[in-house]
Amino acid sequence: MNTQVSIEGSAAPEKNSAMNINTQLFINGEFVAAKNGGTIDVLNPATGELITRIAAAEAEDVDLAVSAAQKAFPAWSEMPAAERGRLLFKLADLIEEHTEELAQLESLDTGHPIRDSRRLDVPRTVACFRYFAGMADKIEGSVIPVEQGFLNYVTREPIGVVGQIVPWNFPLMFTSWKLGPALAAGNVVVMKPSEITPLSTLRIAELIKQAGFPDGVVNIVPGYGYTAGQRLAEHPDVGKISFTGSTQTGRNIVNASTGNLKRIQLELGGKGANIVFEDANIDAAVNGAIWAIFHNQGQACIAGSRLMLHESIADQFLDKFIALAKTIRLGNPMDANTEMGPLTSELHRTKVLSYAKIAVEQGGKILLGGTVPEDENLKNGFYVLPTIVEAKPMDRVAQEEVFGPFVAVMRFKDDAEALAMANSTEYGLGSGLWTSNLQRAHSLARKIKVGMCWINSYKRVNPGSPFGGVGKSGYGREMGFESIHDYTEAKSVWVNIDAKIPPHLERGTS
Ligand code: NDP
């Protein structure tokens, strides 16, 4: 992990004016030091140098945040929905106004190439907040056609205090995916960003205050998973946890949540099958496959990390794919020409590199990369070269989530074999199909066990489209109307509209 805790007594961190961010915890509308004065060093993944130091939330701080949220809940949930929407629109506008600042902060903290932060991370964050701002006053109930004499209507009510645990791969964007639906539906939030990449979320906390959200509606408590995260997951007054991260941590969260049987929504790992058939537009598929695995250095749960090629086009495809991968410009994330930055932490780079060794041990063939770049300018950052490995479907590199710029290539002879290979992992998140045969595309899209399938495309997301997986990729959905269902409880109300004693209540009847 590229962070370390240091306990500094009362020397709590304060605002980092140079970067215009407040480095303290955001609880009840105020920035405050952690109770025990603990801090965490946040490092620049491109250089390994210290960016800043932030306050480290522990259980006691999480308790304060939950209790602030609880106090804020009645007024927030009873506020006219359109007014909640207005505040979310205001926040989206403020984020848009600060696009360049937020893009730079995100790239500095995560290693995302600045061109991606500018054109994807920030605009997608704005779009997501706007989508849910507009949704706030459209969360309708329903009327059920029951027997004569009765009216039965169903309303959707907020859950209450929601705990949200955000990983380090897309911290800014995931902040909007989680806050947007939760707040639109009238919940209050305690969010724990990853301690590795907390900076954009802390800046969002300031913009939340500036937008005029009531105190306590959103609380941001960066800290370690085993302390702050664990407390949030087991807290008796938290009604739901929304978690994005590894399958193992998802399991730990489910175990920690049983005390009050809180609701859980899990967006976990993936091992995306990206399948290219013999009738595909090869150049489009090559470009799509590059994007699928190398965007954000492959640190994406939906990454196309298994590239499955029909045997008749595999050699031709690989020639083009490898040639294009060699042209990817690795470099300083802040350089507008950079296409691939460093991985987000040193520990994670070690994990990704270990898979090159594992691939070879199992008989895999490294076709490109598998090491760090030789460029002297990149030697202190956590870089890994684009890596392409030919492997067998049940090899570890074809089964386990590497979460880096690392793709396992496999060949298939027909649709049945492609489908069996695609469904052979324990995950089921994203997948891609490249073909000009419409019938094949729709037939396979139906049979692949995943939450999302892209045809002649890969890795498209939109705030209106549900995002999530099946199997060990988790359950529940983010975004779209589906997410509103996940952030509300259905309440069924029965009214005796004839005001007569219904037959089943009359004395002597059963
Ligand atoms: P984790 O799942 O461990 O971490 C994700 C978040 O959960 C972090 O904020 C983490 O805090 C927190 N957390 C950890 N333990 C607990 C706990 N017991 N209770 C509550 N919260 C907890 O992922 P890693 O960062 O360790 O990455 C490991 C692997 O997970 C990656 O290589 C990748 O395969 C996968 N991953 C998948 C993601 C996705 O988008 N689905 C995102 C990130 C990772 P802390 O950092 O302090 O542990």
Side-chain angles (χ1 to χ4, degrees), residues 25 44 58 72 101 213 266 296 346 362 371 377 397 410 510:
L25 312 178
N44 178 345
E58 294 193 12
E101 180 195 341
F213 281 78
L266 300 173
N296 199 31
E346 188 167 19
Q362 295 196 303
T371 56
N377 295 322
V397 289
M410 288 157 283
S510 56

Side-chain angles (χ1 to χ4, degrees), residues 474-485:
Y475 44 76
R477 292 292 180 269
E478 302 206 271
M479 301 204 285
F481 202 81
E482 297 280 340
S483 66
I484 296 292
H485 275 198

